[in-house]
Amino acid sequence: MADKRITLADVAERAGLSVSAASLVLNDRPGTRISPAARERVRAAAQELGYRPNLAARTLITSRSATIGVVSDSVTTRPWASDLILGALREAHSRAHILHIAETGTEIATATEALDSLLDRSVDGIIFATSRARELELPDRAIPVPFVMLNATSAAGDASVLPDEFEAGRGIARALAEAGIRERIVVLGRDIGAPHDWVDTLTVSRRTAGIAQTVDEYDMQLSVQLPLSAWEPEPGYEAISELIDGGETFDAIIAMNDRLAFGAYQAMLERGLRVGKDVSVVSFDDDEFAQFVRPGLTTAALPYETMGRLAAELILTGATQPQEHLIPMPIKYRGSIRELG
């Protein structure tokens, strides 16, 4: 037979107080006349007995479940995006909360069932998270708890947490300019002057706008732009291979993400070009392999864990008024930019 569950009555008896007094102490209810010594006896008794509160009962009393709900499309199954959940998880844990995750695997806009499931569990707030930043169309119904958009926005301008892609684009282009590289630059993945299309996410359009502004500011010359619909190593490899084999020479590549840059590395290696010597390469995301390629890739890191932490903090502090929170993307300087002189 399983051991008997320790109840609040057991704690109260050990501490020599009433059940109501023990409840007030363990729920941190303010304004009571219970002495500090009595409070200490209750907490000591709870620890000695291994008391765990009945969360269902506490929710009925306090109208709080110590739980944050997360509705996501595919964040937990995408390696590059899982740190969004990790950050929220760590912040929630630090504040004695847990996460309850409902992953839809489809468009969040249709995930009313997932939302209702979390609300039925009396969560204290909702985080809507996406693996690729974009504007979401939320369910056409009132959401009765605080909520935050994580790596996403809504048409209504609800509280949202996003990477500061515009400044990252500026910083990455500036890294080349300050190294004296201002001509014969290839942009791999997008044509930054072209109208935005379905390939663009909310953050990609800001990323390209930041690059464009710095290119103008430093009078940099983009010699070739290679728009690609898939930002993976193979398309990056093929695009740079064709460029070199066609006789094009260049001093630098701005890759729109690290995976494209990895493909470019391989294409140049096979053709005798040395990254960081003959050609400089800069990129975005700080993929886990960016520090292991040789030379290491200079890239603007996506601050996903910090973003997840802030989303949970906004829920738990009640700071969910309509506002866009932009998190800086630190540039990880490695050996892929040629040294001056």
Side-chain angles (χ1 to χ4, degrees):
M1 180 179 294
D3 292 339
K4 172 180 175 292
R5 181 186 179 99
I6 301 299
T7 67
L8 185 61
D10 296 324
V11 174
E13 182 179 358
R14 173 69 67 90
L17 294 172
S18 67
V19 172
S20 60
S23 175
L24 291 172
V25 172
L26 294 178
N27 285 300
D28 292 321
R29 297 291 291 275
T32 64
R33 297 183 179 180
I34 302 172
S35 70
R39 290 176 179 274
E40 182 58 33
R41 291 204 310 274
V42 171
R43 295 191 180 99
Q47 184 174 2
E48 291 166 5
L49 294 172
Y51 171 72
R52 295 176 62 244
N54 185 318
L55 293 182
R58 174 176 287 184
T59 300
L60 289 173
I61 295 170
T62 66
S63 297
R64 295 186 66 82
S65 63
T67 304
I68 299 174
V70 180
V71 179
S72 84
D73 53 359
S74 56
V75 171
T76 62
T77 56
R78 304 287 186 179
W80 69 82
S82 59
D83 278 354
L84 291 167
I85 298 297
L86 178 62
L89 183 66
R90 287 177 170 169
E91 182 65 23
H93 179 73
S94 73
R95 296 171 181 266
H97 280 63
I98 63 171
L99 296 187
H100 193 116
I101 302 170
E103 187 145 300
T104 67
T106 58
E107 289 296 319
I108 282 186
T110 66
T112 55
E113 183 178 343
L115 174 60
D116 289 340
S117 175
L118 293 173
L119 294 175
D120 287 345
R121 287 163 172 77
S122 300
V123 295
D124 298 331
I126 298 284
I127 295 173
F128 290 94
T130 59
S131 57
R132 296 188 185 278
R134 63 186 188 276
E135 182 178 297
L136 297 178
E137 183 179 347
L138 295 177
D140 187 20
R141 59 197 287 284
I143 301 175
V145 296
F147 66 93
V148 171
M149 318 299 293
L150 176 57
N151 207 34
T153 62
S154 69
D158 298 296
S160 62
V161 180
L162 294 162
D164 193 347
E165 295 273 9
F166 180 78
E167 286 301 324
R170 283 179 49 77
I172 279 295
R174 190 186 306 116
L176 292 180
E178 292 180 348
I181 305 167
R182 304 190 183 191
E183 298 179 345
R184 302 202 307 171
I185 298 170
V186 173
V187 177
L188 180 59
R190 291 295 289 148
D191 178 344
I192 64 173
H196 299 309
D197 58 26
W198 65 271
V199 178
D200 278 329
T201 65
L202 172 69
T203 51
V204 167
S205 62
R206 295 179 181 184
R207 183 178 294 185
T208 56
I211 295 170
Q213 185 178 97
T214 299
V215 165
D216 289 342
E217 179 182 342
Y218 285 88
D219 195 25
M220 301 168 73
Q221 302 300 312
L222 304 180
S223 57
V224 179
Q225 300 198 62
L226 302 170
L228 299 169
S229 59
W231 290 3
E232 295 295 333
E234 187 67 21
Y237 170 83
E238 292 175 353
I240 296 302
S241 295
E242 291 177 7
L243 197 64
I244 298 171
D245 293 345
E248 186 76 28
T249 58
F250 46 90
D251 294 329
I253 296 173
I254 300 176
M256 293 307 298
N257 77 348
D258 294 344
R259 296 180 68 79
L260 286 170
F262 298 154
Y265 263 53
Q266 186 63 29
M268 290 185 287
L269 175 65
E270 291 178 0
R271 289 158 178 78
L273 293 176
R274 300 167 299 170
V275 174
K277 300 293 185 181
D278 303 312
V279 179
S280 297
V281 181
V282 291
S283 184
F284 299 84
D285 293 356
D286 197 26
D287 183 282
E288 61 178 325
F289 293 111
Q291 61 183 310
F292 295 114
V293 294
R294 291 294 178 267
L297 177 60
T298 295
T299 181
L302 284 167
Y304 278 167
E305 183 175 341
T306 301
M307 290 167 58
R309 281 186 175 275
L310 179 58
E313 179 185 337
L314 294 175
I315 291 286
L316 296 176
T317 59
T320 56
Q321 61 271 21
Q323 181 180 347
E324 190 174 84
H325 301 266
L326 296 178
I327 308 303
M329 295 175 61
I331 296 179
K332 306 292 186 178
Y333 289 93
R334 300 187 177 108
S336 64
I337 301 179
R338 75 181 185 195
E339 297 180 1
L340 289 172

